[in-house]
Amino acid sequence: MSEGASKIPKWVWITTPTLAVAFVAFIMFLTTIPTGDELNAVKGDAKKALQLGIEQAKKKAAEELPKHSYEFYKLLENQTVEVPEVEEYKSTPKDAATKYEYRLQAGSFRSEDDAERLRGDLILQGLRAYREEKEVNGTVWHRILIGPFTNRSKLNKAQDILVSNNISPLVHKTKLAN
């Protein structure tokens, strides 16, 4: 080879004409696709043919199916249903004599000072808090109680106040004597 000869690789000489031929073939393919109006016309013809086929299939199916006669409604006309006599329902009222008293335990402390601090905070929140001492296993515990409540709505309101102060109350339910 001479020194002035081109140094273009062989793969470029092969792929360039191949890509050019593929591009021309793609352009030719695009010319065979119908335009928007022609495409709509083809779609319309296809829809008409489909509808015609559906109608013919329905007619053929209707001819092939045997006609059933339903007799159940005639059978039911002649039958009677006997309903037995039943006593009327009588509601049982709640026993008005059974009432309960609720108290909320806000906390239990070994230290009387801690118990009084919580009791004071709860009184400032508008709750009827009091301290009760209990001996458990030889140790005196100071419980802070709120209540008593005979109305569930007031109990729920007090629980809401305690929960808003990050206190999880314990509910004590006591049956009241008649």
Side-chain angles (χ1 to χ4, degrees):
M1 281 178 109
S2 68
E3 286 182 19
S6 170
K7 296 199 177 200
I8 298 175
K10 288 182 182 179
W11 66 269
V12 172
W13 285 106
I14 294 171
T15 56
T16 303
T18 306
L19 289 175
V21 169
F23 180 71
V24 170
F26 179 69
I27 297 295
M28 294 299 287
F29 170 73
L30 289 178
T31 59
T32 62
I33 296 176
T35 60
D37 294 336
E38 293 172 352
L39 187 59
N40 288 336
V42 170
K43 284 182 183 178
D45 291 342
K47 284 182 182 179
K48 288 178 186 174
L50 179 66
Q51 288 296 331
L52 182 62
I54 291 173
E55 289 174 13
Q56 288 175 354
K58 284 182 182 178
K59 287 179 185 176
K60 187 175 180 181
E63 292 172 0
E64 292 176 0
L65 290 177
K67 300 290 181 181
H68 291 290
S69 62
Y70 297 104
E71 298 177 7
F72 66 90
Y73 59 91
K74 293 178 184 174
L75 293 174
L76 291 178
E77 278 182 359
N78 300 330
Q79 291 184 352
T80 58
V81 178
E82 294 182 23
V83 180
E85 194 65 33
V86 180
E87 279 188 41
E88 64 184 48
Y89 173 77
K90 294 179 184 173
S91 115
T92 55
K94 290 183 180 179
D95 188 10
T98 307
K99 291 195 177 187
Y100 294 96
E101 177 180 79
Y102 301 94
R103 295 183 301 157
L104 296 174
Q105 180 176 327
S108 183
F109 303 93
R110 288 185 183 173
S111 166
E112 185 178 348
D113 293 337
D114 292 339
E116 283 298 318
R117 186 175 305 114
L118 177 62
R119 187 176 80 84
D121 290 342
L122 295 175
I123 289 173
L124 290 174
Q125 292 287 329
L127 299 172
R128 292 184 295 171
Y130 62 94
R131 182 172 48 96
E132 183 180 87
E133 295 179 2
K134 282 280 190 181
E135 187 173 331
V136 179
N137 296 332
T139 307
V140 176
W141 287 87
H142 303 277
R143 299 191 311 178
I144 301 300
L145 299 167
I146 300 165
F149 300 99
T150 55
N151 184 340
R152 290 288 295 194
S153 118
K154 290 181 182 178
L155 172 72
N156 291 338
K157 184 177 178 183
Q159 281 179 316
D160 291 343
I161 291 171
L162 290 173
V163 168
S164 69
N165 288 312
N166 294 326
I167 298 172
S168 297
L170 180 65
V171 179
H172 294 278
K173 181 178 177 181
T174 309
K175 189 173 182 179
L176 292 176
N178 292 340

